[in-house]
Each structure stands twice: as C-alpha cells, then as structure tokens.
Amino acid sequence: QTVVTQEPSLTVSPGGTVTLTCASSTGAVTSGYYPNWLQQKPGQAPRALIHSTSNKHSWTPGRFSGSLLGGKAALTLSGVQPEDEAEYYCLLYYGGGYVFGTGTKVTVL
Amino acid sequence: EVQLVESGGGLVQPGGSLRLSCAASGFTFSSNWMHWVRQAPGKGLVWVSRINPDGSSTDYADSVKGRFSISRDNAKNTLYLQMDSLRAEDTAVYHCARIGGDPVGWGQGTLVTVSS
C-alpha cells in the first residue's frame, strides 16, 4: 500500500517562510506524479492551490509556490499571512489512481 | 466557475447500499475526468474513484474496489457513486471533484454514515 507522507504540523510567524514536503513510499517524487497541493480550512471543502508540480490556479496567491526538492514535492509559503493557517494536502498520481498525503497543519503564530 | 453539488448521503446500516449524485455546472462536464474523494470525521482526504469523460474508463482505490461503482450521465451533467456492501469505515463526507488543471473545483460534500 502506497503511503504519501507530509509533516504533521508546522508553525510559522506572520511574514515568514515555510516549506511543506510530500514524500512517496515508492521512491522519489518526480513531475510524472503530477503533484497537486490543496488547502483546507475547518468546515470548508478543499481548495486547489497548485497542480502539476508548480502551476498555480488563477486564485492562488503569489506567495504560494510549488517545486520538487530532494526527491519530494514541496509547497513554499513566502510572506505568510494569518489567513494561511489551514491544513494542506498534497496529491500524487500513480498511473490509474491517486493518493493524498497525510496532511500538514500550518499554524501562523 | 466550477460548481459541484452532491446529494444522496444519509444513514445506512452495515451491508447496505447508497447512491450519491453530483450535479455539475460552470464547465464542460462531458470533456473532463471526474473524481470522488472522501474524508472521515476529523481525518484526512482519501481518493476514492475517477471516471474518464465518456465513462468508458474507471479507477478505484483498493479500499472500495468491488463495492463501489462510479458512473456519469453527460446529458444530465451528473456524476454518480453507487456504494454497496457498506462498512462502518466508509463513514465520511463524500466530495465530488475536478482535480488537476483548470477547470478545477470541489463540492461541499454529502455525509454518509454507516451504523446500525
């Protein structure tokens, strides 16, 4: 069974920078896994932020960026705002199916 | 703007069946892959199933394979999830979603509770 692992929680100060990572139990994450990143706030449906590693949607704030880093997918938040406090999930494609990451709770403090 | 509205959730006994629906609007439904994703109370997101634009190809998570069936009616812009042999661990909010590149969007979800 494939497991996609994220940091359980991260804390960042307002205006700071934080990087979330997404690792696959099958090995290095590449662009062929089409990494997606989603944000979910309590009581809300998820909202897509990034697709295909680094592509933003029209509503994605410029402070969010996606990349590949050391064999993992990564989401970097630069100039963090209080409204960025949320749960973040990565999503990887495994050729016929998808697996979500375990999720990272980002706290802005 | 992508709009997805799920319905059909509710309370069902273990071993029972339920059919979820998802009404889509704001994009060309018939041209896009569609997905079901679930989230148990207080837990993370779990991918369940996907279907290609004309309904001829489907994929499932191992946890639901053989019990759940995804389908679509492009004339009605509606996505379905037939859930049979339901178990307590299937209890979750079920979202339909367009995932990946634009158009992309998520429904608010419908709650399925499997309990006696």
Side-chain angles (χ1 to χ4, degrees):
Chain A
Q1 180 180 345
T2 301
V3 178
V4 177
T5 303
Q6 300 178 239
E7 297 85 1
S9 63
L10 293 168
T11 300
V12 58
S13 300
T17 296
V18 64
T19 297
L20 291 62
T21 66
C22 174
S24 172
S25 63
T26 61
V29 176
T30 66
S31 59
Y33 287 81
Y34 300 96
N36 281 250
W37 289 93
L38 302 99
Q39 178 192 66
Q40 188 177 34
K41 295 182 178 180
Q44 296 184 15
R47 182 177 74 142
L49 293 174
I50 300 286
H51 70 94
S52 299
T53 304
S54 59
N55 293 284
K56 300 178 186 181
H57 297 284
S58 59
W59 55 80
T60 305
R63 60 185 180 273
F64 290 85
S65 63
S67 64
L68 296 175
L69 200 63
K72 301 178 184 180
L75 176 69
T76 299
L77 286 65
S78 305
V80 170
Q81 301 296 307
E83 60 265 29
D84 298 334
E85 184 163 294
E87 190 85 20
Y88 292 83
Y89 293 93
C90 65
L91 175 64
L92 300 181
Y93 174 65
Y94 287 88
Y98 289 78
V99 179
F100 280 96
T102 50
T104 297
K105 169 63 176 173
V106 171
T107 300
V108 182
L109 206 55
Chain B
E1 179 191 357
V2 171
Q3 291 200 346
L4 300 167
V5 180
E6 303 91 341
S7 61
L11 175 64
V12 60
Q13 293 187 339
S17 297
L18 214 53
R19 189 198 199 198
L20 306 183
S21 299
C22 171
S25 61
F27 66 107
T28 307
F29 178 75
S30 59
S31 297
N32 286 277
W33 287 80
M34 294 296 297
H35 300 253
W36 286 100
V37 174
R38 70 185 182 185
Q39 187 168 33
K43 303 295 185 182
L45 299 170
V46 176
W47 179 82
V48 173
S49 180
R50 71 167 182 169
I51 187 168
N52 73 336
D54 68 6
S56 62
S57 177
T58 58
D59 293 296
Y60 300 91
D62 288 343
S63 58
V64 306
K65 203 170 291 183
R67 300 187 300 121
F68 289 13
S69 178
I70 189 173
S71 62
R72 65 194 298 161
D73 185 334
N74 286 341
K76 295 182 178 180
N77 285 354
T78 302
L79 177 71
Y80 302 101
L81 185 68
Q82 176 67 41
M83 304 185 295
D84 299 322
S85 303
L86 283 161
R87 307 166 179 166
E89 54 265 35
D90 296 318
T91 294
V93 172
Y94 285 74
H95 298 273
C96 71
R98 248 297 301 167
I99 290 172
D102 294 327
V104 66
W106 288 68
Q108 285 298 316
T110 186
L111 176 63
V112 172
T113 304
V114 184
S115 175
S116 54

